[in-house]
Structures are given as structure tokens and as C-alpha cells.
Amino acid sequence: MKFVKEILTEGKYNVSTPSGPKTKQINAEDIKKYSQVASKMVKSGIKIPAPFKHVTEGKFVTPLEEASESVDPNNNAGFWEKFYVRKNEHGTLSLYGILEAPGSDNEPESPAYKVSRTVKDTSIGLLPGFTDGKGRQWGEHALVHVALKSLMIA
């Protein structure tokens, strides 16, 4: 199933960095650059994942570059097919994405069900200076995953 998600808006965010947590101001230019770089990555064949956590098995989740690679659907909702920028319902410039999640919203164990019923927010995974397996450098605005934050339903 395909889902459209608002990923990021302009504003202040707490981000993790190698030197520790810091506050980062995300502006309209940043949002446009994240969209441009992520779109180029997808067009070049890189699969940007939608993990349910930023870290899986002790590793920061990074893109998949080979068609034969796959991930556990318990840890990943699918892959982002497209990124674009537009204003949201509040008139704020936002980054949006289209996510392809396997399964259906009638299968409780499927990623599509989880995305349709329990995912409330998204959280981007940035890796400035990311270089893929083919040696391509993606620069400061490399969006390597968009994590889906679940809302637990009892």
C-alpha cells in the first residue's frame, strides 16, 4: 500500500550528532535540499528505508543499495518512493514522502497495517557526508532514512 506522510516542517529540532545532542534550526532552504538530495538518491537506485527505529541491532539504519538486499518487516515499514515539498494545512513549508509499505491495513502483522493504524510521527535520519557503496557523495543534506514513530494502541 502507498501512504503519503508529512515528514518535516520548518522549525527547531533536537538532533543527535557525533559530538552529542544539539538544537538545529531547519529552514525552507534545508527542506528543499533534503527533498532534492533524497529524490536524487531514489532515482539513482538507493532505497531509503522507513524503519520503526533509528537504530536496529545496534546500528544506525542506512539506505540499501542492492536490489537483492532486504530488511526484516518487523523493523522496517518499507521504502520511500518519492519526496517533494509543499505547504501543509497551516501554510508551513514541509517535506512530504510517498511510502510503499507491504501488506494491507487488514493484516495486523504487516507493515501497511502498522503504518495505517499506529504511526503518528516521522523522524529523519541524516548522515552528512554520506558516501554510498559506489563512491557517490551525497553531501550535507543526505537523508538516509525516515523513521516511523508508533503510537501504541492497547
Side-chain angles (χ1 to χ4, degrees):
M1 293 185 70
K2 292 187 191 277
F3 298 90
V4 174
K5 292 285 184 189
E6 182 177 21
I7 296 170
L8 183 68
T9 62
E10 297 175 83
K12 282 187 180 180
Y13 293 88
N14 293 322
V15 297
S16 296
T17 71
S19 59
K22 70 175 188 174
T23 301
K24 180 171 176 63
Q25 179 70 40
I26 303 290
N27 60 36
E29 193 60 34
D30 290 319
I31 289 173
K32 291 175 188 173
K33 286 180 182 176
Y34 294 139
S35 177
Q36 291 167 353
V37 172
S39 295
K40 286 179 185 176
M41 291 171 76
V42 169
K43 285 180 184 172
S44 75
I46 294 174
K47 295 166 67 176
I48 298 176
F52 291 112
K53 299 178 189 174
H54 286 288
V55 176
T56 302
E57 297 176 5
K59 293 183 177 181
F60 187 70
V61 177
T62 57
L64 298 181
E65 300 177 48
E66 301 297 327
S68 63
E69 290 184 86
S70 64
V71 293
D72 182 346
N74 291 316
N75 297 327
N76 190 65
F79 297 94
W80 296 93
E81 291 188 343
K82 182 178 180 181
F83 294 91
Y84 59 96
V85 175
R86 72 174 173 88
K87 289 188 177 182
N88 65 16
E89 68 274 7
H90 305 292
T92 304
L93 196 66
S94 297
L95 174 64
Y96 285 83
I98 298 175
L99 170 67
E100 176 68 35
S104 81
D105 56 2
N106 294 321
E107 300 170 53
E109 296 303 315
S110 77
Y113 181 92
K114 292 174 186 175
V115 172
S116 69
R117 310 260 176 126
T118 65
V119 170
K120 181 175 169 33
D121 295 313
T122 59
S123 181
I124 62 173
L126 298 174
L127 196 54
F130 174 67
T131 301
D132 66 25
K134 295 181 179 178
R136 296 175 289 197
Q137 296 180 346
W138 295 99
E140 178 184 344
H141 291 85
L143 184 64
V144 295
H145 71 247
V146 180
L148 302 174
K149 298 170 77 176
S150 294
L151 172 66
M152 298 306 292
I153 297 176

